[in-house]
């Protein structure tokens, strides 16, 4: 075997190992879209205190909960499971980058997963809830003095936007407004 072929094989091995460790990035568009939605400054305009990582994470998880709610009826549940795994792996990596210890990360991830499942449970019948119930539901997840009227309207529009797009369009990053 020539040196070139040996180096090529080694590089292929490294690439395969990186893909296994970092997971396939074909759902990066979904993740980036959720992150961009979370960075929307209007979500934080009524906060009396500076927004924190926790506040941003709550908004991230709310967006993701709506995403899963809309697309859970899609025929390919395996893709949604892969997206879910990818998103939470990226979330764990983000928490590690902040500098939490391994023990703290496990506890934080458990707390965030419990919060996420609570969100999914609460928004399950979103379309059948009254405006006041929607406001109250959103305020249960936020610790700041957020504008409940604005947030209920915002997430209603986001929900409708999700309904008007396909899962495939989100995966490919070509979402229509």
């Amino acid at each position: 075997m020539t040196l070139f072929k040996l180096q090529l094989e080694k590089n292929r091995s490294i690439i395969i190992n990186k893909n296994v460790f970092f997971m396939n990035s074909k759902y990066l568009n979904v993740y980036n879209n959720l992150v961009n939605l979370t960075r929307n400054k209007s979500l934080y305009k009524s906060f009396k205190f500076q927004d924190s990582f926790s506040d941003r994470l709550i908004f991230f998880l709310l967006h993701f909960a709506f995403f899963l709610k809309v697309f859970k009826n899609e025929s390919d549940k395996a893709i949604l499971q892969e997206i879910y795994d990818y998103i939470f792996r990226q979330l764990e990596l983000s928490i590690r980058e902040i500098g939490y210890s391994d023990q703290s990360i496990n506890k934080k991830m458990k707390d965030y997963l419990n919060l996420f499942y609570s969100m999914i449970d609460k928004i399950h019948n979103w379309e059948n809830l009254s405006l006041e119930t929607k406001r109250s539901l959103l305020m249960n997840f936020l610790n700041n003095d957020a504008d409940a009227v604005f947030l209920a309207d915002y997430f209603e529009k986001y929900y409708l936007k999700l309904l008007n797009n396909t899962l495939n369009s989100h995966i490919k990053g070509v979402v229509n407004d």
Side-chain angles (χ1 to χ4, degrees), residues 55-87:
D55 297 326
R56 290 183 183 267
L57 184 59
I58 289 169
F59 281 125
F60 180 88
L61 293 174
L62 276 168
H63 283 98
F64 189 42
F66 276 96
F67 179 87
L68 289 180
K69 177 199 177 353
V70 169
F71 295 115
K72 73 177 180 193
N73 295 327
E74 294 281 326
S75 60
D76 197 354
K77 302 262 187 218
I79 291 175
L80 284 178
Q81 183 63 50
E82 289 176 10
I83 292 171
Y84 172 89
D85 293 342
Y86 181 82
I87 296 292

Side-chain angles (χ1 to χ4, degrees), residues 137-159:
L137 182 149
L138 292 169
M139 290 302 98
N140 285 335
F141 295 117
L142 298 165
N143 296 328
N144 280 302
D145 296 322
D147 184 353
V149 175
F150 170 78
L151 290 176
D153 183 55
Y154 172 87
F155 279 103
E156 183 66 27
K157 288 176 183 173
Y158 177 63
Y159 175 69

